[in-house]
Amino acid sequence: MKIIKAEKSDLLSILSLQKLAYQSEAELVNDYSIPPLTQTIDGITDDFNCGTILKAVVNDEIIGSVRIKQLNNSLHIGRLIVSPSFQNQGIGTALLSAAEELYPNTRYELFTSDLSSKNLALYIKNGYKEFKRVPLNENVDFVFLEKFNK
């Protein structure tokens, strides 16, 4: 597996993978209208133009991706996805590490739902700590986590 910067020509494949990967999240929160599932090619193109998208590739197939964007004094990490058939093999950790390596000596921030126990375990295992919760609705909170790498 290799992790490299995505190219504009990869965006449709990454968007398709994103919609597949976020099905489980939509099921957890019982909402199939979450932004990762409704994002358009224009939306992911905006993400590409305003930040960096990394891709994990095996045999020329994109099996994972993550988006990073520098805002203020923090690196915001989002849409960390791994193909369901490649999960639990360390790819999410590798993508997270690759994002952090691009911007050393900074603060990293990400979020997930409080129902996403696998995501929370991944982030905590990689040194992230919760710093706030924001209600999404009466049943779900977003958990914001941060990590300082200095």
Side-chain angles (χ1 to χ4, degrees):
M1 177 189 69
K2 60 184 175 182
I3 297 176
I4 55 176
K5 287 186 180 180
E7 299 173 16
K8 203 166 196 170
S9 60
D10 296 319
L11 297 183
L12 192 56
S13 294
I14 292 170
L15 184 60
S16 295
L17 179 59
Q18 170 182 304
K19 291 180 185 236
L20 176 65
Y22 269 92
Q23 291 294 318
S24 60
E25 187 73 14
E27 188 175 315
L28 278 175
V29 300
N30 195 29
D31 183 355
Y32 288 86
S33 66
I34 59 175
L37 293 183
T38 60
Q39 188 172 38
T40 64
I41 192 67
D42 290 338
I44 195 172
T45 301
D46 288 344
D47 291 347
F48 179 83
N49 292 334
C50 296
T52 301
I53 301 178
L54 299 178
K55 63 182 179 178
V57 180
V58 170
N59 297 328
D60 296 324
E61 177 188 356
I62 298 172
I63 60 159
S65 180
V66 66
R67 294 178 207 171
I68 51 181
K69 183 176 182 179
Q70 188 81 34
L71 289 171
N72 302 320
N73 293 321
S74 296
L75 185 71
H76 290 251
I77 300 173
R79 306 268 164 100
L80 175 61
I81 56 171
V82 176
S83 171
S85 58
F86 285 89
Q87 291 180 359
N88 302 312
Q89 298 179 32
I91 296 163
T93 295
L95 283 162
L96 197 57
S97 295
E100 293 171 358
E101 287 170 11
L102 285 178
Y103 294 88
N105 304 319
T106 194
R107 176 186 175 268
Y108 310 111
E109 180 178 322
L110 49 77
F111 69 92
T112 192
S113 85
D114 63 340
L115 302 177
S116 301
S117 56
K118 285 175 68 175
N119 293 350
L120 287 167
L122 171 70
Y123 301 143
I124 290 167
K125 177 182 84 171
N126 283 282
Y128 286 79
K129 295 188 181 348
E130 179 179 337
F131 72 93
K132 76 175 176 181
R133 287 183 182 235
V134 176
L136 175 62
N137 58 43
E138 61 187 37
N139 300 317
V140 180
D141 289 344
F142 279 138
V143 179
F144 287 79
L145 301 104
E146 65 186 350
K147 176 179 175 181
F148 295 90
N149 188 13
K150 297 189 179 209

